[in-house]
Amino acid sequence: MSSHPGSTVTLISAERLVDGTGREPVERGAVAVQGDRIVAVGERTELAARFPGATRADYPGATIIPGMVDSHVHITFSASAVPFEDIQNDGDVAVGLRGAINARDALLAGVTVLRDLGGRQRTTLELRNAINAGAIPGPRLLVCGRPVTIPNGHCHFLGGVAKGVPEVTRLTGELVEQGADVIKVMATGGNMTVTSDPLKAQFNLEEMRAIVGVARSANLRVTAHARGVEGIRVAAEADAHGIEHCRMEVGMGEWQFDHELARMLADKGIFAAPTLAASYRAFQRQAAGGKVGIRAGAIPFATRQKNASMLREAGIRVVVGTDAGASLCRFDEAVHVEMEALVGAGWTPVEAIHAGTLGSATAVGVEKTLGSLEAGKLADVVVVRGNPARSISDVRQVEAVYLNGRRVASRGHATLDERPTPWPESAIATRTEYRSTDVGPRLPKA
């Protein structure tokens, strides 16, 4: 995709602009968009003089930020109290419809890139293709298809079961052939599968290296679900690109930060997504006595925040990945909750915005074209009311969403499927008048 030199420039301006790079906000900022690309970013008076004939889209009192990037979701999961039951019991139609609804909710929340890290069989691949074809609205979607796990391992019910080097090599190659954008491996057990151990490594180093090797040969990244230290170490030694959760758990309900392991992650440039939003609402429901998909011995939320802070202090690139679709982790707020939780863990609001835009875009491999407001990049632009550089919760107040330079949402309503008013002449049938001869085929006489 590229900009269209002959097309009109649109100047999107607001009270301030946060470009996603980590730099401080630009007061009275603006983005000049031509076709699907950003052609300039800067102070609005300067850009207005540079593009005198530009169409204006002004948002007084608002802030412009890049389209947000969520590096870890499960788009076909229900985000109910017990989503792992739903994904096993619901039919394919229900699963597909739920994915379409979740995609729309994420887009309305200002998320323009999602990376799905585990769906049942081919459902997420087909959903991605439907979004790409324009059949349903949604953010750009990268998918792993089935996550690689062991028999009766974490999320085995999604269909990606293998054990031993030959089997994991075959399965990874099959996922590549099916069109996966990333390979997800369950390096440890997890919360959603009672037959798995969240603290124990599910694959040995030889198996993990085989998975990473097949993926690398296809220019795909590997990210690993890993909660226990043992599994994190295996994934890191095999040169996985990312660690999901990365909680440094050493016993049931026991957390102990491993500084040596953290240095290895930092030295290798491995990303970490702490997925704080995954448990925030669930812990609230649990505290109120409700049923949720949290197993006994879960690490407390405050400890998870401390772990995330220490990962960053160790030099690890910590990014926004929410695990949206997990228990009560809804697509209409998950990325906002994650940023709020990072600020609660010590990030500044501008740093949290960076983690949820260019940081996450870098983790999923799209940083050259997305994740920040810079000339030459695709025009994924979000406008929020208020000042999220001062109060991060203002990222919730989504005023408008632009995808590829086209406004697709406004104040919580999708605009990409609105009927044009008035209808353009090119869309009107040549003959619109009713005539008495227009009676259709005649029936033969009896």
Side-chain angles (χ1 to χ4, degrees):
M1 293 181 286
S2 60
S3 62
H4 309 286
S7 61
T8 303
V9 171
T10 297
L11 197 63
I12 306 168
S13 69
E15 192 66 25
R16 68 197 59 81
L17 178 148
V18 181
D19 66 12
T21 65
R23 291 191 287 260
E24 288 303 304
V26 176
E27 297 301 319
R28 296 171 295 281
V31 180
V33 175
Q34 187 175 35
D36 60 3
R37 296 275 171 172
I38 296 171
V39 293
V41 179
E43 199 274 330
R44 67 187 176 203
T45 302
E46 174 193 338
L47 293 192
R50 182 175 167 186
F51 303 100
T55 300
R56 296 293 295 266
D58 299 321
Y59 297 94
T63 302
I64 301 169
I65 65 174
M68 289 173 269
V69 180
D70 192 336
S71 68
H72 183 152
V73 305
H74 297 277
I75 199 166
T76 55
F77 284 22
S78 66
S80 70
V82 284
F84 50 91
E85 294 180 7
D86 298 334
I87 195 65
Q88 294 179 77
N89 297 326
D90 290 346
D92 287 345
V93 172
V95 169
L97 289 173
R98 185 159 58 228
I101 293 168
N102 288 338
R104 189 184 187 95
D105 283 349
L107 188 63
L108 296 181
V111 181
T112 60
V113 180
L114 292 172
R115 183 173 70 171
D116 185 275
L117 293 183
R120 196 173 74 192
Q121 301 299 343
R122 294 182 56 89
T123 52
T124 56
L125 294 159
E126 292 171 1
L127 182 64
R128 176 200 62 190
N129 295 344
I131 292 173
N132 288 346
I136 57 175
R140 308 166 193 279
L141 184 60
L142 306 172
V143 302
C144 75
R146 296 165 289 159
V148 181
T149 191
I150 63 172
N152 293 317
H154 185 45
C155 290
H156 63 90
F157 44 78
L158 299 178
V161 173
K163 188 165 181 62
V165 171
E167 277 298 299
V168 299
T169 300
R170 177 201 58 77
L171 176 57
T172 307
E174 186 177 294
L175 294 168
V176 170
E177 290 178 4
Q178 288 179 349
D181 302 298
V182 60
I183 300 300
K184 166 74 174 297
V185 56
M186 299 302 192
T188 69
N191 187 59
M192 296 181 70
T193 313
V194 296
T195 55
S196 70
D197 184 346
L199 304 177
K200 185 178 180 181
Q202 293 199 151
F203 295 101
N204 61 35
L205 183 57
E206 187 179 16
E207 291 168 320
M208 190 69 73
R209 282 177 171 161
I211 294 168
V212 172
V214 174
R216 282 189 185 278
S217 67
N219 293 317
L220 297 184
R221 300 187 176 203
V222 173
T223 195
H225 161 105
R227 288 172 48 182
V229 168
E230 180 186 339
I232 296 172
R233 183 174 289 107
V234 169
E237 289 179 351
D239 294 329
H241 296 87
I243 306 292
E244 310 300 318
H245 315 302
C246 201
R247 290 192 197 128
M248 301 284 191
E249 298 180 47
V250 294
M252 190 58 67
E254 184 181 355
W255 170 76
Q256 183 177 324
F257 195 83
D258 189 319
H259 294 275
E260 181 181 351
L261 179 55
R263 281 194 296 273
M264 182 195 300
L265 297 175
D267 290 345
K268 291 193 172 194
I270 296 172
F271 295 91
T275 62
L276 299 168
S279 52
Y280 182 68
R281 297 294 184 203
F283 275 128
Q284 289 182 325
R285 172 75 67 86
Q286 187 180 60
K291 178 184 178 182
V292 289
I294 296 179
R295 290 168 65 174
I299 301 295
F301 187 78
T303 302
R304 298 180 188 202
Q305 285 182 297
K306 183 178 181 180
N307 180 73
S309 179
M310 292 182 70
L311 289 172
R312 183 170 74 140
E313 289 171 3
I316 297 167
R317 294 183 285 181
V318 176
V319 300
V320 165
T322 67
D323 214 2
S327 185
L328 304 182
C329 188
R330 305 192 317 264
F331 282 81
D332 61 353
E333 69 157 6
V335 74
H336 311 145
V337 171
E338 190 75 19
M339 290 186 190
E340 291 165 349
L342 289 179
V343 171
W347 277 247
T348 68
V350 170
E351 288 170 342
I353 292 170
H354 167 73
T357 53
L358 185 57
S360 291
T362 305
V364 304
V366 298
E367 74 280 4
K368 291 182 179 179
T369 54
L370 295 162
S372 59
L373 302 175
E374 299 178 85
K377 287 195 170 184
L378 291 167
D380 283 11
V381 180
V382 172
V383 182
V384 299
R385 298 185 294 279
N387 183 2
R390 184 180 60 199
S391 175
I392 191 61
S393 292
D394 284 349
V395 293
R396 293 175 175 270
Q397 311 305 319
V398 178
E399 176 73 19
V401 180
Y402 293 81
L403 184 69
N404 270 341
R406 179 186 177 196
R407 193 181 71 172
V408 295
S410 179
R411 289 216 165 197
H413 297 281
T415 58
L416 72 172
D417 50 5
E418 285 182 347
R419 290 175 54 163
T421 304
W423 277 88
E425 286 295 325
S426 61
I428 298 173
T430 304
R431 195 183 78 202
T432 60
E433 304 86 2
Y434 169 78
R435 297 186 300 187
S436 60
T437 54
D438 297 340
V439 294
R442 295 184 179 276
L443 296 175
K445 294 182 180 180

